[in-house]
Amino acid sequence: MSRETLLPLMAAHVLEHGLGGASLRPLAKAAGTSDRMLVYHFGNKKTLIVELLDHIAGIYSAALDMALGDTRPSSRRECFDRVMEQAADPAMRPFMVLWWEIVAGAARDLPGYEVAAQEMIARQLDWLIRQMPADDPDPEGGARLLLTLMEGSLMLGTVGHAKTARDGLLASDLSPS
Amino acid sequence: MSRETLLPLMAAHVLEHGLGGASLRPLAKAAGTSDRMLVYHFGNKKTLIVELLDHIAGIYSAALDMALGDTRPSSRRECFDRVMEQAADPAMRPFMVLWWEIVAGAARDLPGYEVAAQEMIARQLDWLIRQMPADDPDPEGGARLLLTLMEGSLMLGTVGHAKTARDGLLASDLSPS
DNA sequence: AAAGGAATGTAGCGATTGCTACAATAGAGA
DNA sequence: TCTCTATTGTAGCAATCGCTACATTCCTTT
């Protein structure tokens, strides 16, 4: 059992139970090993978490690649609505919950958190650019705008202000300027 | 020493050191008491945290009231820029860092986190409405839109994608529709 | 002054934390 | 077959966790 075998199992555990309370022994049990072996393979907990975050960022990228739509939207607003609908999928909820924990860790400068978050956002932006309307005059700028709106809306959603974000969006013009 | 005396002191400690690692003994030391007394006053840690979050939401509201600008901006974009500039103030950083921890807690349904976050967002929205241009035809809708953009931008900023948000905003039209 | 509840100190319990010392096994190359 | 290194198990350490039992002090009310 090597690092590569253990990481996906631990990632699954973290997706379900969170990063904050992730201690060696539960992590080990989820991976079918002992805390002793986790330290043996990764040296210490800090570097384990760093590698785990990197691995999770990889999982997220792969999940995005799987979710490429086959038809392109005809407007930025339709694109936004589609992506938001997909983010609301219950299957995405563990990712969502973990995501805010990663953001919090990045804000507090915990090692590995910011790089992982940065990677995940970069992937999401790439993905979004490919999802933009085919005739959009500025797909990069549009994707960046939609990403900002999306993340703001998702955050407001998780703290019980989904309606606030929705109403704000209704009063806005997403079309290219 | 009552609850009301202890809460501000613990809030200061949490603003500096975070909520996640906040355990009874350090909290007590920051408040000049013992863990024994914290349990005596609040019953247990969970309700302590709930009351502490409520208190912190109150502090945040007060801080916003202090920061009401004396001149109104003349456009939504100017309003946005001003608010973002204020949010970038180093003095706001502890609030920012703590904020994402509260969001993460709300996403994970920890008791008290969502209510606190909801309250803080509601206050921020009220504040934003009062900061909108005087001649804005739809201050409520505009404030909701700006709030969404702000929070998205702030999040992207904390994970090292401030430029992404900025470029997205440049390619957008914030004027009322 | 006596009494009684509120407030506080001391000490510690059982559980969990990250990590380590030591020993045992296993499998590959000589 | 014999080493030698890589891997794994067992046991435990010191620190911290939330919380509690028990005793004591303090202040208010009668």
Side-chain angles (χ1 to χ4, degrees):
Chain A
M1 267 209 180
S2 60
R3 266 181 256 237
E4 287 66 34
T5 323
L6 301 171
L7 283 174
L9 297 167
M10 293 192 290
H13 177 265
V14 155
L15 272 169
E16 188 175 358
H17 298 96
L19 271 162
S23 41
L24 286 183
R25 268 167 266 240
L27 235 35
K29 176 178 285 187
T33 337
S34 62
D35 56 332
R36 165 72 180 75
M37 288 313 294
L38 291 187
V39 177
Y40 174 74
H41 282 302
F42 298 93
N44 53 47
K45 186 185 176 182
K46 178 152 60 178
T47 68
L48 189 165
I49 295 292
V50 171
E51 294 200 33
L52 187 50
L53 283 170
D54 182 72
H55 183 79
I56 288 174
I59 293 181
Y60 184 72
S61 298
L64 279 184
D65 289 342
M66 305 280 266
L68 264 179
D70 38 353
T71 70
R72 297 289 275 287
S74 62
S75 72
R76 285 184 176 183
R77 186 169 300 268
E78 190 192 334
C79 178
F80 178 86
D81 289 341
R82 264 202 215 177
V83 174
M84 285 297 290
E85 187 183 357
Q86 192 203 340
D89 187 330
M92 289 299 286
R93 203 186 125 88
F95 271 109
M96 269 291 120
V97 177
L98 188 61
W99 169 246
W100 298 115
E101 209 169 348
I102 294 177
V103 172
R108 215 166 270 287
D109 274 332
L110 302 186
Y113 281 71
E114 175 161 347
V115 262
Q118 217 163 349
E119 166 74 11
M120 291 168 89
I121 286 289
R123 291 305 193 115
Q124 189 154 354
L125 188 58
D126 285 349
W127 183 83
L128 209 50
I129 290 173
R130 273 174 289 156
Q131 292 292 94
M132 290 292 285
D135 61 347
D136 197 289
D138 179 18
E140 283 84 4
R144 286 192 263 258
L145 173 62
L146 288 196
L147 179 67
T148 307
L149 283 167
M150 256 185 63
E151 297 293 346
S153 297
L154 289 174
M155 191 271 262
L156 289 175
T158 71
V159 302
H161 273 275
K163 185 166 165 27
T164 301
R166 220 176 312 121
D167 292 351
L169 265 288
L170 287 181
S172 80
D173 180 15
L174 299 185
S175 60
S177 57
Chain B
M1 265 212 181
S2 62
R3 268 181 256 239
E4 287 67 33
T5 324
L6 301 171
L7 283 173
L9 298 167
M10 291 191 292
H13 176 266
V14 156
L15 272 169
E16 187 175 358
H17 298 96
L19 272 163
S23 40
L24 286 183
R25 268 167 265 243
L27 276 177
K29 177 178 285 188
T33 336
S34 63
D35 56 333
R36 167 71 182 75
M37 288 313 294
L38 291 186
V39 177
Y40 174 74
H41 282 303
F42 297 94
N44 53 46
K45 186 186 176 181
K46 178 153 61 179
T47 68
L48 189 163
I49 296 292
V50 172
E51 295 201 32
L52 187 51
L53 284 169
D54 181 72
H55 183 79
I56 288 173
I59 293 181
Y60 184 71
S61 298
L64 279 183
D65 289 342
M66 304 281 268
L68 265 178
D70 38 353
T71 70
R72 298 288 276 287
S74 61
S75 71
R76 285 184 175 183
R77 185 169 299 269
E78 189 191 335
C79 179
F80 179 85
D81 289 341
R82 266 202 215 177
V83 174
M84 285 297 290
E85 187 182 357
Q86 193 201 338
D89 186 330
M92 290 298 288
R93 202 185 128 88
F95 271 108
M96 268 293 118
V97 178
L98 187 61
W99 169 247
W100 297 114
E101 210 169 348
I102 294 177
V103 172
R108 215 166 269 288
D109 274 331
L110 303 186
Y113 282 71
E114 176 161 346
V115 264
Q118 218 164 347
E119 165 75 10
M120 291 168 90
I121 286 290
R123 292 306 195 114
Q124 189 154 355
L125 188 58
D126 285 350
W127 182 83
L128 209 50
I129 291 174
R130 274 175 287 155
Q131 293 292 96
M132 292 290 286
D135 61 346
D136 197 289
D138 179 17
E140 282 84 5
R144 285 192 264 259
L145 173 62
L146 289 197
L147 180 67
T148 307
L149 283 168
M150 255 184 64
E151 296 294 345
S153 297
L154 289 175
M155 190 272 260
L156 290 174
T158 72
V159 302
H161 273 275
K163 184 164 166 30
T164 301
R166 219 176 312 124
D167 292 351
L169 264 287
L170 287 181
S172 81
D173 181 14
L174 300 185
S175 59
S177 57

